[in-house]
Amino acid sequence: FFFDKLFLRAASDANDEASERDARTRTSAEAYENEAIMHELLVDPEWRLPVDDKTDPSTVSNETSNSDDLPSRVREAMTRAFWDATRDALIKKDVARAAGTVAELGDALAALCPEHCRSEAEAALLLRLTPTAAAAALARVVDDPSALADAFEEVTREASKMLARLGAPARDEKVARDAEALDRRVSALAEQASALFSSGDSCGASRVVADAVTHALRELFDALARIRRDVANVAVASLAPMARRDRDGITEGSAWAWRRFAARRGVPETFEDDEGAAKALAAALPRTSAWLAAATRAAHRLDASIP
């Protein structure tokens, strides 16, 4: 069913027990996400996945940004910690983490662009984003910082081009500006690394290389996140008709959400209008039943207080 495919991601290492547990956890979480999306559409068929403040800062104003939003702060802290760890590892000439991140970017680009849709340049780029190729290129760069321009700058530029082609046309102008800014930044850092290495400051050159690689990867992943959200919103838009009532007043999305909910809670999809069925449902949903009972009592008290 299409809902189940909206956010599903295949688990790597399917034969590994930990990966299988991971896959089951993700699938369960994604099922809740799919139901939540349909619930939003049932309330407002025009609803779409919200903009992520961290991946599209151009759309955020001081009034809409909420620095006290705990989930956002936690996500920001975890993201910063990941990139800091990646940078620190590169300074120590440990390329494993960065190479894995490059390979993840390659996998994401390959998933967004089927083989028959790729240009020759894009196909060549994806070959350079494999784990082995990425590890070799990064190992060369950390050993010889003067090779940053040759080994990494071009890859960054080509990845930006591919992301720009895959993105929404409405974003073309901003994407072009961001790509140019990234190209200038990486070029400047490459020149700085080369100059430091030539002058004998290998430690300083290593830090610049780590900064360049980490900055480029983070910018590319931010661009990727925007594309993924746009793609997901296209899928959400295609589901919106299911949230609208047909001529008979039936909403297909509502029926789907109830079936999923009933299956998860172990209750029948349909109930006969009798006391036994009501008790069975109340037993299956104790917290919901308690909340409804309290709300009903409050409503009766309010009703009785009306003159």
Side-chain angles (χ1 to χ4, degrees), residues 9-304:
R9 296 178 294 275
S12 60
D13 303 325
N15 294 327
D16 183 81
E17 183 178 351
S19 294
E20 289 180 357
R21 285 198 303 271
D22 239 16
R24 288 194 294 270
T25 301
R26 286 199 305 270
T27 301
S28 177
E30 286 152 1
Y32 284 104
E33 288 177 352
N34 293 335
E35 289 181 48
I37 288 171
M38 178 47 65
H39 292 162
E40 294 285 358
L41 289 173
L42 289 169
V43 174
D44 177 13
E46 301 303 319
W47 178 88
R48 298 296 180 265
L49 293 169
V51 170
D52 185 338
D53 296 358
K54 301 305 175 187
T55 59
D56 201 353
S58 66
T59 63
V60 181
S61 64
N62 292 331
E63 291 76 18
T64 59
S65 180
N66 184 3
S67 60
D68 294 328
D69 180 15
L70 180 59
S72 294
R73 295 197 338 253
V74 170
R75 182 172 61 249
E76 182 180 359
M78 292 179 66
T79 300
R80 185 167 56 248
F82 173 82
W83 291 117
D84 286 348
T86 302
R87 178 184 179 276
D88 293 344
L90 285 169
I91 292 174
K92 298 175 183 177
K93 298 189 177 183
D94 179 0
V95 302
R97 177 187 288 266
T101 305
V102 172
E104 185 179 342
L105 175 65
D107 290 341
L109 289 173
L112 284 171
C113 184
E115 187 173 353
H116 66 277
C117 296
R118 300 169 195 164
S119 66
E120 290 186 9
E122 290 169 347
L125 169 67
L126 293 179
L127 290 177
R128 299 178 70 177
L129 298 181
T130 60
T132 302
L138 289 170
R140 177 189 170 196
V141 168
V142 297
D143 287 335
D144 179 11
S146 64
L148 179 62
D150 180 50
F152 191 75
E153 187 177 346
E154 183 186 355
V155 172
T156 301
R157 189 178 298 118
E158 291 300 320
S160 293
K161 288 180 181 178
M162 187 172 184
L163 285 165
R165 187 179 75 80
L166 296 174
R171 297 186 186 273
D172 283 352
E173 186 176 343
K174 181 183 183 304
V175 168
R177 290 197 307 268
D178 290 346
E180 290 175 5
L182 177 59
D183 192 35
R184 288 195 301 269
R185 175 68 171 160
V186 174
S187 296
L189 290 172
E191 292 179 6
Q192 185 181 355
S194 181
L196 288 170
F197 190 65
S198 298
S199 67
D201 187 0
S202 58
C203 292
S206 295
R207 287 193 293 272
V208 173
V209 165
D211 286 340
V213 172
T214 305
H215 175 74
L217 287 174
R218 185 165 188 173
E219 290 295 312
L220 291 172
F221 269 93
D222 282 350
L224 175 65
R226 288 190 288 270
I227 292 174
R228 281 175 161 169
R229 188 184 62 246
D230 289 342
V231 170
N233 272 330
V234 170
V236 170
S238 72
L239 301 177
M242 301 182 68
R244 297 186 175 93
R245 295 184 183 277
D246 60 18
R247 294 179 179 177
D248 299 324
I250 298 174
T251 306
E252 185 179 353
S254 178
W256 173 87
W258 168 247
R259 289 195 300 270
R260 294 296 300 270
F261 181 83
R264 188 171 67 250
R265 291 294 180 175
V267 297
E269 292 184 13
T270 58
F271 280 92
E272 298 297 332
D273 188 14
D274 58 46
E275 185 177 351
K279 289 182 178 180
L281 184 59
L285 307 171
R287 285 182 294 180
T288 302
S289 298
W291 176 78
L292 287 173
T296 300
R297 289 193 297 270
H300 287 325
R301 285 196 300 271
L302 288 172
D303 185 55

